Amino acid sequence: MDYSLLTPIEEVDEGSNQSELTFFTTFISVLEGIKTRIKNLHWAAEKLPNRDKRGAHIYLDEFLDDVIDYQDKLAESCQGILGSMSTTAISGVPFTANSTAELMTYCKDTAVNFYNNIPASTIYAGIKSETEVLILNINKYTFLFRLTE
């Protein structure tokens, strides 16, 4: 939704805000599921197909830090634009990944899909930019995990 400085507050469509907030909280829930899967793979590193299990273990922790930072920025900035989410809005979305390669494919696919659907309004430019950094980090860790195979 595009707002101008001259749009009276009573003309702002709250239904549209709620719909956009739901778009963001849905992806924040996807990120919550990703964080859970990263920790599960981290703790089960001995069972990963990666040859260098210690390297995978370490890289999973580093990647988790990037996901946590991004999720926090996304949650706070979308609420700065659209208003507060409910106290029950976030619930991790489960998925299966039994290797770092499967994890990174899921992360890339979901992040790119989210990015391609971020509203075009200039107010979301920072969110788009931070999502680009997330995609950059996904590509970086895809490479680093390949080094551990």
Side-chain angles (χ1 to χ4, degrees), residues 5 20 28 46 51-52 60 88 95 116 131 137-138 146:
L5 294 176
E20 288 181 6
I28 293 166
E46 283 186 319
R51 180 184 39 78
D52 179 3
L60 283 162
T88 59
F95 68 98
N116 288 335
T131 306
N137 285 326
I138 290 168
R146 276 201 312 256

Side-chain angles (χ1 to χ4, degrees), residues 47-109:
K47 301 208 186 246
L48 290 174
N50 305 60
R51 180 184 39 78
D52 179 3
K53 296 180 187 321
R54 183 175 185 277
H57 180 83
I58 291 168
Y59 289 146
L60 283 162
D61 254 356
E62 291 174 7
F63 181 54
L64 177 63
D65 289 342
D66 290 341
V67 173
I68 289 169
D69 289 345
Y70 170 76
Q71 184 189 36
D72 193 53
K73 287 176 186 175
L74 176 60
E76 292 171 354
S77 60
C78 77
Q79 290 180 97
I81 297 165
L82 300 167
S84 296
M85 67 177 78
S86 77
T87 57
T88 59
I90 306 305
S91 181
V93 176
F95 68 98
T96 301
N98 293 309
S99 68
T100 54
E102 289 175 3
L103 171 70
M104 298 316 290
T105 296
Y106 178 82
C107 291
K108 178 186 67 173
D109 292 348

